[in-house]
Amino acid sequence: MKSILKEYFVGGDTADAVLSIHELIQVGCEGSIERGAKAFEAATFMVMEMKKTEVTKLLTVLESCIQDSKIEKDAIVQGLNEPLDLLSDIEIDAPLARSHLSLIISELIKWSVVSFDVLLSAPEYFRTGGKAASFAIMILKKKNNEALSDDETVIVETLMTENDKKAYASAKIMFDAI
């Protein structure tokens, strides 16, 4: 997957990248969800440490793969687990990692590939020590949300740690402050 993306970042041939990903994942064949999850995970890890232009290029390829059914939604959900779990560690060396991952997830939500509540099933370390509530708000703001819906409020409040609750009386106050 890394080689496919490196070639795409230089050459820019979206159709060729989608074809290569299709050959890698082989949707519909046994193990395609696992292969798709690992491919998505590898791509996500790769761009988390790059510039926003590469994230945008990944999103172009990913959108084409989704539209052409070259990767399954379940693979993407599964492929989010490790990047979320390791986000706090990655951002030590790659300060834009949190912003990049929130952009990826906000686009996946816009495309109806994942729902916002996917964060509730994220790995425990992310939910308890990974600033999950502020990350959720970052995703919503990238989606151009001006306010929290009732469902989003419940999700953000569920993700808020005790420290978050001490600093912000509610999810709405946290949303307005961040």
Side-chain angles (χ1 to χ4, degrees), residues 5-145:
L5 288 177
K6 284 178 185 176
E7 184 176 327
Y8 175 70
F9 293 161
V10 172
D13 187 345
T14 305
D16 185 51
V18 171
L19 177 62
S20 296
I21 291 168
H22 171 66
E23 291 170 351
L24 177 69
I25 296 173
Q26 300 174 12
V27 169
C29 296
E30 187 176 335
S32 64
I33 291 176
E34 291 78 12
R35 286 188 301 277
K38 285 297 180 189
F40 177 71
E41 178 183 294
T44 302
F45 277 136
M46 182 177 168
V47 299
M48 284 172 69
E49 298 185 27
M50 297 178 119
K51 295 178 182 169
K52 187 177 178 185
T53 55
E54 282 78 18
V55 177
T56 304
K57 289 177 182 180
L58 168 65
L59 289 170
T60 300
V61 171
L62 186 58
E63 185 175 23
S64 292
C65 286
I66 291 165
Q67 288 174 347
D68 296 346
S69 300
K70 304 300 182 195
I71 188 167
E72 293 139 310
K73 290 180 180 183
D74 289 344
I76 291 172
V77 171
Q78 189 176 324
L80 280 173
N81 283 329
E82 287 297 309
L84 286 170
D85 195 31
L86 299 174
L87 178 59
S88 293
D89 295 333
I90 293 168
E91 72 179 337
I92 292 168
D93 295 323
L96 295 176
R98 185 170 295 267
S99 176
H100 291 345
L101 186 57
S102 68
L103 176 60
I104 292 167
I105 294 173
S106 73
E107 291 299 309
L108 292 171
I109 292 169
K110 283 181 194 175
W111 301 333
S112 301
V113 175
V114 300
S115 60
F116 184 59
D117 66 359
V118 73
L119 297 175
L120 296 176
S121 59
E124 183 178 353
Y125 178 73
F126 169 76
R127 288 182 284 119
T128 58
K131 304 175 194 166
S134 63
F135 183 74
I137 289 170
M138 187 181 283
I139 290 169
L140 293 172
K141 291 199 173 190
K142 286 196 185 329
K143 279 184 45 199
N144 297 320
N145 281 34

Side-chain angles (χ1 to χ4, degrees), residues 138-157:
M138 187 181 283
I139 290 169
L140 293 172
K141 291 199 173 190
K142 286 196 185 329
K143 279 184 45 199
N144 297 320
N145 281 34
E146 294 181 17
L148 291 172
S149 70
D150 291 342
D151 290 342
E152 292 165 344
T153 300
V154 169
I155 292 167
V156 172
E157 285 178 349

